[in-house]
Amino acid sequence: MVKGIKNIFRRHWLLYWLCGIAVLIASFTGVWLANREKAPMAAVNIPDPPVLVAPIPKKDSIATASKAKLAPTNTSIAKSEKKKKRKISSKVLIPAIPDTLPYIEFNAAMLQALFEQANYLYRKDVPERGASGITKTEMLQTVERLQGMQLLDPSALLTSFDFYRVNTDIKSDRVRMTGYYTPLIKASRTQTAEHPIPMLRRPESDVPSPAAIEAGALNGRGLDLAWISSKKELSNAQLQGSCLIEFPDGKRQHLGFGGSKKGDGGTYVFFTKVDEQVLGCGFFPLTAGYSVAVDLKYIPIGATLLAELPDLDAAGRQKGYKYRIIFAQDRGGAIQTTKRMDLYCGVGHKGLLEARKINRFGRLWVLLPK
């Protein structure tokens, strides 16, 4: 019997071995499940796969999405660039980056001139398009970009603005740089032996010739604003375009450009009372060293320029150039074409001394936003 049992065991040993393995696996499985319920595994953050298809827009965004333009083809890019090309006079403004672009620091005077420029360009009565095709929007954007800077380094200038050299038909497009100032003149409110020369405002009608005015044709018509001591003082005030008169009691009055009359005897310049500050073209205060008079047929009031100014030593010899951002804020009877510009230098004797330092050639570039 024992032998029979052994024979059965030999035949079925594999079966028993498999059964043992199954019992062992079942035991381990039970233990693992029990431990899993007691201490759950820590969560692992697995990144979501990238979205390969564009999400479906919401209903309220479909209308907006339908208005979006497709990416332009090479042909449409060319057409778009062609449309954006500025319509400015190529006879006056030549696209050209200055060969020297130094760092330009802001100072109180420049900030004041920049402030006045912005105030003027925000006015509704400023024409939308000025001389040489320069627009009001472009001039305003230029000023706004400058207001957002603190130090004008070459890279900032190149990335923010397009440069247009002012064409003058002189070698290397040079411009004659001169200076003007506001004379301070002793005056009287009435005619006296010491003050026999009148400073006149322009009559509304029946304006005689300059020669007739000099001969006294407007005397007695109540047009006198003040009386001064000499014709030389009058001529200088007319040349500068404005003056500051001081009465015996110490009170002062600014007289600005009040129109002119051409004819027999040349040109006679009239005056008009203006605010206590010196006004360029009667629009806004001038800033010494930063306001420039230009010919309005070529450069509009409100334009911003980079000037290459002659740098003189104490003896008046030119030692090089200095660069400055300046602003077109005035006009002058002696400023004709683009071959000359007049930089405002201040009031009285100090302004005169500064103006005398400027009488050389330099270059000008108009700045417009990229």
Side-chain angles (χ1 to χ4, degrees), residues 214-364:
E214 292 287 348
L218 295 179
N219 291 354
R221 293 178 58 175
L223 300 174
D224 49 286
L225 299 170
W227 295 81
I228 57 180
S229 60
S230 68
K231 289 186 177 181
K232 183 179 178 180
E233 287 181 328
L234 176 63
S235 297
N236 187 38
Q238 291 174 324
L239 177 63
Q240 303 302 326
S242 68
C243 67
L244 179 63
I245 55 176
E246 184 176 80
F247 297 111
D249 59 5
K251 291 186 178 180
R252 293 181 175 184
Q253 173 67 57
H254 280 277
L255 300 181
F257 179 79
S260 62
K261 174 66 176 181
K262 294 182 179 181
D264 182 25
T267 301
Y268 188 91
V269 174
F270 296 95
F271 295 93
T272 185
K273 290 183 179 180
V274 295
D275 293 337
E276 293 185 0
Q277 294 173 301
V278 182
L279 301 182
C281 294
F283 291 126
F284 43 80
L286 298 179
T287 304
Y290 289 92
S291 299
V292 62
V294 294
D295 188 336
L296 303 188
K297 296 192 298 293
Y298 302 97
I299 304 296
I301 293 294
T304 299
L305 305 100
L306 174 67
E308 178 188 70
L309 299 170
D311 190 12
L312 308 180
D313 61 18
R317 294 184 296 264
Q318 185 172 333
K319 58 183 180 179
Y321 293 96
K322 53 187 176 183
Y323 293 81
R324 188 182 302 170
I325 299 293
I326 59 176
F327 306 94
Q329 297 182 341
D330 204 1
R331 64 185 172 205
I335 309 302
Q336 301 292 330
T337 74
T338 58
K339 299 179 183 180
R340 182 181 168 189
M341 68 120 223
D342 223 2
L343 186 66
Y344 182 65
C345 296
V347 178
H349 187 66
K350 181 180 179 180
L352 171 62
L353 295 179
E354 290 298 319
R356 285 177 174 172
K357 295 178 183 178
I358 305 174
N359 193 359
R360 296 290 193 280
F361 285 90
R363 290 178 295 174
L364 289 175

Side-chain angles (χ1 to χ4, degrees), residues 1-12:
M1 184 174 178
V2 173
K3 185 178 180 179
I5 293 172
K6 288 180 178 179
N7 290 334
I8 292 172
F9 182 79
R10 288 190 187 101
R11 293 189 190 101
H12 301 285

Side-chain angles (χ1 to χ4, degrees), residues 69-84:
K69 295 181 180 179
L70 298 174
T73 61
N74 290 337
T75 305
S76 60
I77 288 175
K79 290 181 178 179
S80 175
E81 290 178 349
K82 188 175 181 181
K83 289 180 180 178
K84 292 181 180 179

Side-chain angles (χ1 to χ4, degrees), residues 133-146:
I134 300 174
T135 67
K136 172 184 175 180
T137 300
E138 291 173 322
M139 293 189 291
L140 184 56
Q141 288 176 350
T142 298
V143 169
E144 289 174 340
R145 290 189 185 188
L146 285 175

Side-chain angles (χ1 to χ4, degrees), residues 107-124:
N107 57 38
M110 180 181 175
L111 290 174
Q112 180 63 35
L114 189 61
F115 173 79
E116 300 297 348
Q117 189 91 329
N119 276 349
Y120 168 74
L121 291 170
Y122 281 126
R123 289 169 44 163
K124 294 182 180 179

Side-chain angles (χ1 to χ4, degrees), residues 87-95 132 165 167:
K87 296 180 180 179
I88 56 177
S89 173
S90 58
K91 294 181 180 180
V92 178
L93 302 174
I94 303 171
S132 300
R165 190 174 66 241
N167 180 27

Side-chain angles (χ1 to χ4, degrees), residues 126-175:
V126 177
E128 290 299 326
R129 184 172 290 272
S132 300
I134 300 174
T135 67
K136 172 184 175 180
T137 300
E138 291 173 322
M139 293 189 291
L140 184 56
Q141 288 176 350
T142 298
V143 169
E144 289 174 340
R145 290 189 185 188
L146 285 175
Q147 286 178 320
M149 300 179 180
Q150 293 181 344
L151 177 67
L152 299 183
D153 62 82
S155 60
L157 290 172
L158 289 174
T159 56
S160 300
F161 304 105
D162 289 330
F163 290 83
Y164 296 88
R165 190 174 66 241
V166 177
N167 180 27
T168 65
D169 294 329
I170 305 176
K171 185 179 179 180
S172 301
D173 285 326
R174 294 185 304 163
V175 180

